[in-house]
Amino acid sequence: MDDPAHNMQTQERLLDDLRQVIENAEELLKNTGQHHGMLYQAARAKLAQALLTATEELARFEDVQLNRMMELTAAANRLHKDLTGEAKLLRAFRPT
């Protein structure tokens, strides 16, 4: 159950889903601007705030994911003693 590859795929799916929700919310806000009733405006304000929060969280998650990937790459380079760019490239394309 704690398979790192499975967890990474699950996280990637969740991030993709969050990106899709953000895109849909942005589209909804764009297409409902012509409605001026109090209920519409209140709902749009709530959606705009939720969209801002979701966008900030997505950026934070992406930063964490990028940092994790950079740490893992650095650890692999140390493990395999890849000190040069050439050594890193050769190991990347070496058949396993």
Side-chain angles (χ1 to χ4, degrees), residues 47-87:
L47 181 58
Q49 182 58 48
L51 181 58
L52 178 64
T53 301
T55 303
E56 289 170 352
E57 278 298 297
L58 178 60
R60 189 179 69 77
F61 288 142
E62 289 174 333
D63 286 345
V64 167
Q65 194 173 37
L66 179 61
N67 288 335
R68 185 181 308 143
M69 187 171 44
M70 289 174 17
E71 288 170 7
L72 291 172
T73 300
N77 290 338
R78 285 190 302 274
L79 175 69
H80 296 282
K81 297 177 179 50
D82 295 337
L83 303 178
T84 66
E86 181 182 16

Side-chain angles (χ1 to χ4, degrees), residues 15-31 51 55 58:
L15 288 176
D16 287 343
D17 289 347
L18 182 54
R19 286 183 193 100
Q20 186 64 49
V21 168
I22 288 171
E23 287 177 21
N24 291 343
E26 288 171 341
E27 190 70 22
L28 183 62
L29 279 176
K30 185 172 71 172
N31 291 327
L51 181 58
T55 303
L58 178 60

Side-chain angles (χ1 to χ4, degrees), residues 29-46:
L29 279 176
K30 185 172 71 172
N31 291 327
T32 58
Q34 73 277 10
H35 299 288
H36 300 290
M38 290 290 274
L39 290 176
Y40 279 113
Q41 293 304 314
R44 290 183 84 248
K46 286 180 184 179

